[in-house]
Amino acid sequence: MFETIELTKQGRIGYLKLNRPQSMNAMNGKMMAELAECFESLLAESTLQVLIIHGDGRAFSAGGDIKEMMDPEHPMDIDVVMKEVTRLAKSLYTLPQITVAAIHGASAGLGFSMALACDYIIAEENSKLAMNFIGIGLVPDGGGHFFMKERIGVPKAKQLIWSGQILKAHDSLAKGLIDEVTAEGLALEHAENYAEQVLQSPVRARLASKHILHQLKVGELEQVLEMEAAAQSEMRKSADHLEGIQAFVEKRKPEFQGK
């Protein structure tokens, strides 16, 4: 059904695998659209009660696909992309399932925004987590401002967004960004264990509480997504962004000029 992701169902547990391992599950336009379509299809899913999101290959997700951003033959239409990102983030946040992110390797940029949108986040101890849009002159998208603020508050969210700091799992746990750290190779297993614990509890009561708490915030999330889309469209045209992605490709330190 999908080219870049894979959705499987085992009883009351669903598994959503990011499936571009050759690109460290970097999100191109196709993956963003497929994720949005997948999450929207699960909004009416009554059988599944837990959804585990994980990545194939060496990483959870390295974030947006910079190669696609720089493709001169098929230039990325940022306004189209942001519509898919908005659909993705809103539908993920409002899913009627307990969502679990099982992180290994990198979880960066949009990949980190998506992980932060989940109800429970597990990361292997050597994972690298970063809201690192600033490195290429962009702002967080996919609700990154909203989800980070919800977890750690505005002052700390600003500092991490502005620094683009790459965090190991234990640092992320200490800051309140994630919920559990595991040894290498065990994130998915621990996610499955957590899912089983959820299913052995009064899960409908959990889901009712999630619905109440999230519905209070949906309007705010929609506002954030609208502002992120406008800001990202503007930043994509900035000289600092062009310098940031050029420096990334050339593997050198960017020289930003605030333009």
Side-chain angles (χ1 to χ4, degrees):
M1 182 177 177
F2 298 113
E3 293 178 20
T4 65
I5 61 176
E6 183 180 306
L7 178 66
T8 57
K9 303 176 183 180
Q10 295 182 17
R12 291 185 287 161
I13 301 176
Y15 294 83
L16 176 56
K17 180 168 70 176
L18 308 180
N19 197 25
R20 296 188 74 219
Q22 72 283 1
S23 302
M24 293 181 67
N25 297 316
M27 297 188 193
N28 60 4
K30 181 73 170 177
M31 179 181 274
M32 295 175 197
E34 290 190 340
L35 282 166
E37 182 181 343
C38 179
F39 290 140
E40 287 176 347
S41 75
L42 292 173
L43 289 170
E45 171 62 64
S46 59
T47 303
L48 294 182
Q49 292 180 313
V50 181
L51 178 67
I52 297 173
I53 304 174
H54 63 111
D56 193 22
R58 296 182 294 127
F60 179 80
S61 173
D65 191 333
I66 291 181
K67 288 184 179 179
E68 184 172 271
M69 289 183 191
M70 295 191 66
D71 187 346
E73 296 182 9
H74 304 93
M76 177 185 286
D77 187 329
I78 189 63
D79 295 322
V80 171
V81 166
M82 291 309 298
K83 287 179 181 178
E84 303 295 357
V85 171
T86 293
R87 288 175 57 209
L88 181 167
K90 183 181 175 182
S91 54
L92 173 55
Y93 184 65
T94 54
L95 282 180
Q97 292 90 26
I98 303 297
T99 53
V100 186
I103 296 173
H104 75 290
S107 177
L110 180 57
F112 195 27
S113 294
M114 190 170 74
L116 290 173
C118 291
D119 300 311
Y120 195 79
I121 307 172
I122 302 169
E124 294 177 3
E125 58 188 355
N126 288 328
S127 299
K128 295 180 179 180
L129 303 100
M131 194 64 75
N132 57 347
F133 293 87
I134 195 77
I136 53 172
L138 297 178
V139 299
D141 55 29
H145 293 89
F146 175 85
F147 297 124
M148 184 166 277
K149 182 265 296 182
E150 284 290 285
R151 281 196 165 251
I152 62 174
V154 170
K156 292 179 181 178
K158 283 190 296 188
Q159 296 308 317
L160 284 177
I161 289 168
W162 289 345
S163 71
Q165 183 181 0
I166 298 172
L167 301 170
K168 288 289 187 71
H170 284 290
D171 293 330
S172 299
L173 181 66
K175 291 179 183 296
L177 286 166
I178 67 173
D179 302 293
E180 184 181 338
V181 177
T182 75
E184 290 300 287
L186 296 181
L188 185 55
E189 180 181 329
H190 279 239
E192 291 173 327
N193 291 340
Y194 177 77
E196 291 297 338
Q197 292 173 25
V198 169
L199 295 179
Q200 290 167 18
S201 75
V203 64
R204 289 184 63 191
R206 289 192 189 220
L207 290 170
S209 289
K210 171 180 175 174
H211 177 75
I212 292 166
L213 292 168
H214 284 212
Q215 284 302 307
L216 289 170
K217 295 283 189 173
V218 169
E220 182 184 344
L221 174 59
E222 289 174 337
Q223 283 185 300
V224 169
L225 289 167
E226 184 178 339
M227 289 188 287
E228 285 180 347
Q232 208 69 302
S233 181
E234 182 181 350
M235 293 306 106
R236 278 279 290 170
K237 303 177 182 72
S238 71
D240 278 350
H241 171 62
L242 296 175
E243 166 62 12
I245 57 174
Q246 194 65 41
F248 178 87
V249 170
E250 296 173 2
K251 298 181 179 180
R252 60 173 173 81
K253 185 177 179 179
E255 296 180 7
F256 296 124
Q257 299 182 19
K259 297 178 180 179

